[in-house]
């Protein structure tokens, strides 16, 4: 049985101690790096008052990416279902 790992993640110059499953460590470290890169981009591109504003914009950016992927997945799933129904109709037509 895997034991949990105690790691430290740095985001916006703050360190957060976490206890995670070993298979989560790489994803958390990668996400932490992406957040810090995004923070620097927002700070360089926009006049921001404090870290709270930058972190809110990062959260919005990541959340919108997740939402867009969900929307795209739903559209793709609907298209696949339509194609399956058309294929079924074609099969029925060809059998007659």
């Amino acid at each position: 049985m895997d034991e949990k790992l105690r790691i430290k993640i740095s985001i916006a110059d703050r360190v957060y101690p976490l206890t995670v499953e070993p298979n989560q460590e790489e994803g958390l470290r990668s996400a932490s790096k992406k957040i810090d890169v995004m923070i620097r981009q927002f700070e360089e591109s926009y006049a921001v008052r404090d870290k709270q504003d930058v972190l809110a914009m990062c959260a919005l950016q990541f959340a919108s990416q997740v939402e867009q992927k969900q929307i795209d997945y739903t559209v793709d799933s609907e298209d696949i279902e339509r194609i399956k129904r058309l294929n079924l109709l074609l099969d029925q037509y060809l059998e007659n």
Side-chain angles (χ1 to χ4, degrees):
M1 181 168 98
D2 289 332
E3 290 190 26
K4 293 194 176 196
L5 298 175
R6 294 177 56 88
I7 63 172
K8 292 181 181 179
I9 297 291
S10 175
I11 300 172
D13 301 324
R14 285 195 180 181
V15 175
Y16 298 92
L18 301 172
T19 303
V20 301
E21 298 291 334
N23 63 348
Q24 295 176 312
E25 181 184 11
E26 184 179 353
L28 287 166
R29 291 193 187 281
S30 176
S32 155
K33 288 177 186 172
K34 287 180 182 180
I35 291 168
D36 279 335
V37 166
M38 191 177 289
I39 286 170
R40 281 193 298 279
Q41 289 173 342
F42 279 123
E43 287 175 333
E44 291 171 2
S45 300
Y46 303 102
V48 290
R49 290 181 286 171
D50 60 26
K51 289 284 187 199
Q52 180 68 33
D53 293 336
V54 176
L55 289 169
M57 293 305 297
C58 288
L60 178 61
Q61 183 83 14
F62 282 116
S64 68
Q65 290 172 358
V66 169
E67 289 300 317
Q68 189 60 51
K69 285 182 182 179
Q70 183 62 39
I71 290 167
D72 293 345
Y73 174 78
T74 301
V75 170
D76 289 345
S77 295
E78 290 170 357
D79 289 343
I80 290 169
E81 287 305 313
R82 271 187 285 227
I83 290 170
K84 285 180 180 178
R85 286 193 302 271
L86 284 172
N87 195 34
L88 182 62
L89 287 171
L90 285 170
D91 284 346
Q92 289 173 350
Y93 177 77
L94 292 173
E95 287 176 2
N96 292 333

